[in-house]
Amino acid sequence: MTVKVLTNTLLGIALVMFQSCVGNNITEEDSISDSKQGKLASSLASSSFNVPVAGNSFLTVKPSGANEVITSAKLANWTNSNTVISTYFRVSNTGTLNIGLKASVPSGTSIVKVTVGNISKNVTLAGSAYTNYIAGDFTISSPGYVKVDLQGVSKTGGYFADVTDITFSGSASTGTNIFSNNTSYYYWARRGPSCHLNYTIPTSNNVSYYYNEVTVPTGEDKIGSYFMANGFAEGYFGMQVNSATERRILFSVWSPFQTDDPNSIPADQKTILNRAGSGVTIGEFGNEGSGGQSYYKYNWVAGQTYKFLLKGEPDGTGKTDYTAWFLPPGTSAWKLIASWKRPQTNTYLKRFHSFLENFNPENGYQGRKVEFKNQWVRTSDGTWMPVSTAKFSVDNTYNAQQRIDAMGGTSNNAFYLQNGGFFSTIVAPGTQFSVTAPSQAPNIDLSTLP
């Protein structure tokens, strides 16, 4: 499991609030004449934009046995006529979009269907040289994300085409357009931007415990989601959807040694396990920092509320112990996930935060949402204090304007985060959220915790 670096950096441009839904911002129009459909565009207009498939497209319908794949450069192995390839980009204006594709057909002739909203147009492709083909004009009635679907209709060769780009131009493209155009961001853009709640701690005293309650609404538990509840300066603790049959409660602590390879951590800088709960898997993680990892396979259920408790205190020898417990609904017995000792660290808990991310790029077109409520901190002298404010922040993918479908807010006196799905509402990073402070402190006998 990887986590992108948190950032509170504000966008460098003013963001205007929009709200519309992908698939609902296209108005029906008359089909263009057959004589215009499928004509080659020998040169695209100077205001035309190329949206790379590698960073902005997904196989949103992939039948069993289909071979299509989106590589680091193109759509490849396109042989199945039932596969749907969806490409997303964002426009800030309404009007007409002239949409096409850049494709190569190694042999034979192919007919493919281009769909935006409820309008479809067929395009004939031929020739092994990469060529810009025009599908036609589509009317955009609301600013926001536009979804362009490709589907094969017929072919005389081995496969429909290799496609590198979706192209667009026209009056709706004259404002600010957003899509991933930086190769170093393609992977992250397909995962989608992560977003965070940075809680305001209501005290300057040392804090030993973080408490949070997490609810994933029904239907928002997409595969690849990480709903992180209790984040701190040296690690994170939350719950994941790892596959159709597996879910986990994950608790990880970074090593103080900066590396993406856990095998390169010196022995005196490794995060050491103090103890673990029964059934908990212990290991190491890498790729974005490295450290100790612990997870408990537990099939949590969307629509139910789960409680997370984290402790962090110095051990008096220049190290800090971090311990995580998890409480499912319907029980009073807290489950120990693990306790880790972090060397070269002498601190209480700092930087209480939650985040939402997708770690599966193939599912990056799907949306997810999570609610966080009833946050408390407990000081080292034993005082529970409620948390009632949080600041919204986003990751580098959003800040680089590669993809911006991430937002936060409040609902029913709970904070929430939402990302993925290419929704068009914008909440500016840096926005402060507030809820009514909870009044009943957690009723936990800390002395009996495992």
Side-chain angles (χ1 to χ4, degrees):
M1 176 60 222
T2 60
V3 177
K4 295 183 218 175
V5 178
L6 303 180
T7 174
N8 293 329
T9 306
L10 297 180
L11 290 176
I13 61 173
L15 295 176
V16 182
M17 296 295 291
F18 295 120
Q19 188 162 7
S20 63
C21 295
V22 171
N24 293 331
N25 61 345
I26 310 299
T27 58
E28 192 164 354
E29 61 181 42
D30 294 334
S31 297
I32 61 175
S33 65
D34 290 341
S35 63
K36 292 182 180 179
Q37 289 197 33
K39 281 192 175 180
L40 301 184
S42 58
S43 62
L44 294 177
S46 59
S47 59
S48 181
F49 298 88
N50 283 41
V51 182
V53 166
N56 302 275
S57 301
F58 303 86
L59 304 177
T60 52
V61 177
K62 187 176 183 180
S64 177
N67 296 315
E68 288 76 17
V69 62
I70 294 173
T71 72
S72 60
K74 63 184 179 180
L75 165 67
N77 301 337
W78 186 10
T79 59
N80 195 308
S81 61
N82 292 316
T83 297
V84 177
I85 304 96
S86 301
T87 303
Y88 300 82
F89 57 89
R90 195 181 196 283
V91 298
S92 60
N93 284 346
T94 60
T96 299
L97 281 184
N98 184 262
I99 291 178
L101 65 156
K102 186 175 182 179
S104 164
V105 182
S107 65
T109 299
S110 299
I111 298 176
V112 302
K113 180 171 64 175
V114 178
T115 301
V116 181
N118 57 357
I119 301 296
S120 297
K121 302 177 188 293
N122 287 349
V123 184
T124 300
L125 315 177
S128 59
Y130 276 100
T131 305
N132 291 307
Y133 296 86
I134 296 299
D137 290 339
F138 299 83
T139 300
I140 307 301
S141 60
S142 301
Y145 272 102
V146 176
K147 176 187 177 187
V148 179
D149 288 339
L150 297 181
Q151 189 170 2
V153 176
S154 65
K155 55 182 170 56
T156 62
Y159 60 96
F160 289 104
D162 291 325
V163 181
T164 59
D165 301 88
I166 295 296
T167 63
F168 69 95
S169 61
S171 59
S173 71
T174 57
T176 299
N177 304 311
I178 294 176
F179 52 87
S180 185
N181 58 359
N182 184 327
T183 56
S184 64
Y185 276 101
Y186 286 173
Y187 167 79
W188 300 108
R190 294 188 73 238
R191 278 177 51 162
S194 63
C195 50
H196 332 105
L197 293 168
N198 303 282
Y199 301 112
T200 302
I201 303 301
T203 180
S204 59
N205 294 334
N206 291 327
V207 170
S208 297
Y209 289 86
Y210 291 159
Y211 174 88
N212 205 347
E213 297 181 6
V214 182
T215 306
V216 176
T218 302
E220 300 291 342
D221 51 340
K222 307 299 194 308
I223 294 173
S225 300
Y226 186 20
F227 308 100
M228 201 286 294
N230 289 2
F232 54 107
E234 292 78 31
Y236 46 87
F237 177 33
M239 57 190 192
Q240 300 175 310
V241 185
N242 301 87
S243 72
T245 59
E246 182 178 318
R247 299 179 179 217
R248 297 177 181 179
I249 309 302
L250 177 72
F251 174 46
S252 298
V253 180
W254 280 297
S255 162
F257 186 76
Q258 298 298 310
T259 179
D260 288 337
D261 178 12
N263 295 319
S264 68
I265 301 175
D268 63 348
Q269 295 191 52
K270 282 186 174 291
T271 302
I272 304 300
L273 181 70
N274 291 323
R275 65 187 191 278
S278 61
V280 174
T281 299
I282 300 300
E284 293 181 308
F285 70 95
N287 295 324
E288 286 184 340
S290 297
Q293 181 186 80
S294 46
Y295 64 86
Y296 177 55
K297 293 182 181 180
Y298 177 82
N299 285 326
W300 56 269
V301 178
Q304 296 190 10
T305 299
Y306 298 87
K307 300 177 181 180
F308 291 79
L309 180 68
L310 175 73
K311 180 182 181 181
E313 286 187 339
D315 71 353
T317 69
K319 306 177 184 67
T320 295
D321 293 322
Y322 297 98
T323 308
W325 297 269
F326 168 72
L327 184 66
T331 179
S332 59
W334 285 86
K335 168 70 178 179
L336 171 67
I337 303 302
S339 178
W340 292 94
K341 187 179 294 292
R342 189 178 195 261
Q344 301 183 15
T345 309
N346 184 36
T347 183
Y348 286 85
L349 292 176
K350 298 184 185 304
R351 288 183 52 210
F352 188 13
H353 62 276
S354 299
F355 68 70
L356 172 63
E357 75 165 11
N358 166 50
F359 54 87
N360 185 334
E362 304 307 318
N363 291 344
Y365 64 94
Q366 298 176 335
R368 58 199 54 76
K369 185 177 182 180
V370 58
E371 298 172 355
F372 303 97
K373 65 181 180 181
N374 200 26
Q375 292 85 12
W376 291 79
V377 299
R378 188 177 189 268
T379 62
S380 59
D381 63 7
T383 303
W384 283 104
M385 305 183 73
V387 172
S388 60
T389 61
K391 184 168 71 172
F392 176 61
S393 67
V394 295
D395 69 354
N396 292 334
T397 300
Y398 190 118
N399 282 325
Q401 295 289 277
Q402 297 291 293
R403 182 172 168 182
I404 63 170
D405 52 332
M407 63 180 288
T410 61
S411 177
N412 298 320
N413 208 42
F415 300 103
Y416 73 83
L417 291 172
Q418 181 177 350
N419 76 349
F422 293 96
F423 57 83
S424 294
T425 302
I426 291 179
V427 174
T431 299
Q432 294 275 357
F433 308 128
S434 296
V435 297
T436 301
S439 58
Q440 183 62 51
N443 183 19
I444 305 171
D445 185 349
L446 301 177
S447 65
T448 64
L449 290 173

